[in-house]
Amino acid sequence: IAGTALAIFLIMLVVMMQQVKVAPFAPESNRDRFLHVHYMSITNKNWGGGSSNGPMGLKTARECFQSLKTPEAVTIYTCMVVSTPVNLPGQPGTGIDLLQPDDAFCFIAENPYDRAKFDAGQPVAVITESVARRLFQTSDAIGREFLLNHAPYKVAGVVKDVSTLATVAYGQVWVPYTSTEITKDTWSDEHMGMMSCTILARSRDDFEA
C-alpha cells in the first residue's frame, strides 16, 4: 500500500510540475493564447558558417513581431529580471527583481503607464505590495517617489505579489524600458540585444499565421 501511494504521489507531482508551466493563472490568465520569442539565432554569409545566438534587439522585436496585424497584442520586455537596488533617499538599499516592459505589458496592471509616458521615457514604476511596504511601510504608495539604482522613480501602480511561476510576468518592480539605457545594449547591427517578446493571439487557431 505504501509503495502504491508513493508511486501515485510521484506521478501527481510530475503532472503538477508540468501543468503549472502551461496552465493559466493570474496574472498570466491567457497562457493558452501566448506565443513567446525569447531567443533567436542569426547568421551571415560572410561569417563562414558562424552564428549569433541570444535575445533580440529592440529593432528586431519591433520590425519582426510588433508589426504583425494578426495578434490581439504584442508586448516587448527585457529578456530576464535583474536584481536592482531600491531605496529612499538617505536609507540603505535593498535588492529587488526588475523587469522592463513596454506600455502593452498588461499582465500586471491595466495600463500602468500610457503610450505618451512610455514614449517620453518617464521614470514611472509599478511595484508589488511587499516592495511598497518595504519602502513606505504601506501599500498605499501611488504617487510616491523612490530611488531605483540611484535614479528617482514615481510609483504609478501597486499590485499583488507575483509568483515566480509566472515565467513572463514575474517581477517585483516594472519600469518602461524607455526609461533606462537597456535598449542600447545591442550587437550584430542591432539585430541582437536584451529583449524578448510575447504575442497574444486572438485565438489558438491563429498560431500558424
Side-chain angles (χ1 to χ4, degrees):
I1 293 175
T4 302
L6 180 60
I8 293 174
F9 166 76
L10 291 174
I11 292 172
M12 290 178 61
L13 183 62
V14 170
V15 171
M16 289 174 62
M17 289 174 64
Q18 293 303 314
Q19 187 174 14
V20 79
K21 296 178 182 179
V22 296
F25 65 91
E28 296 182 359
S29 302
N30 295 311
R31 273 182 162 187
D32 58 330
R33 293 190 288 133
F34 284 173
L35 292 171
H36 307 290
V37 188
H38 291 305
Y39 302 103
M40 57 180 290
S41 177
I42 64 171
T43 188
N44 186 300
K45 63 182 180 180
N46 298 321
W47 291 355
S51 63
S52 180
N53 308 288
M56 73 191 85
L58 179 60
K59 173 182 176 181
T60 303
R62 284 180 169 172
E63 294 184 9
C64 291
F65 303 107
Q66 204 166 51
S67 62
L68 296 175
K69 304 302 181 185
T70 304
E72 180 176 324
V74 177
T75 182
I76 302 171
Y77 49 91
T78 46
C79 61
M80 65 186 76
V81 296
V82 293
S83 182
T84 307
V86 296
N87 63 289
L88 297 181
Q91 296 186 6
T94 182
I96 54 87
D97 289 332
L98 173 70
L99 189 69
Q100 302 177 50
D102 60 14
D103 60 309
F105 191 87
C106 293
F107 306 121
I108 301 300
E110 192 66 32
N111 196 21
Y113 35 81
D114 58 25
R115 169 59 67 170
K117 290 181 180 178
F118 175 77
D119 288 343
Q122 291 191 12
V124 293
V126 175
I127 65 176
T128 61
E129 291 178 347
S130 62
V131 171
R133 287 191 290 268
R134 197 182 312 172
L135 288 171
F136 308 110
Q137 287 73 56
T138 176
S139 59
D140 184 16
I142 294 179
R144 302 185 69 170
E145 292 190 351
F146 67 100
L147 299 178
L148 174 73
N149 200 18
H150 311 296
Y153 274 77
K154 180 177 288 188
V155 178
V158 179
V159 297
K160 295 183 181 297
D161 288 21
V162 177
S163 169
T164 56
L165 296 174
T167 52
V168 173
Y170 171 72
Q172 293 175 300
V173 174
W174 300 262
V175 303
Y177 62 69
T178 50
S179 68
T180 71
E181 301 291 311
I182 190 68
T183 59
K184 295 181 180 179
D185 188 358
T186 62
W187 61 96
S188 296
D189 194 28
E190 299 184 35
H191 293 305
M192 310 298 286
M194 299 300 294
M195 313 306 289
S196 294
C197 81
T198 291
I199 300 167
L200 176 62
R202 299 180 190 278
S203 164
R204 292 178 61 87
D205 296 335
D206 291 339
F207 276 5
E208 184 176 349

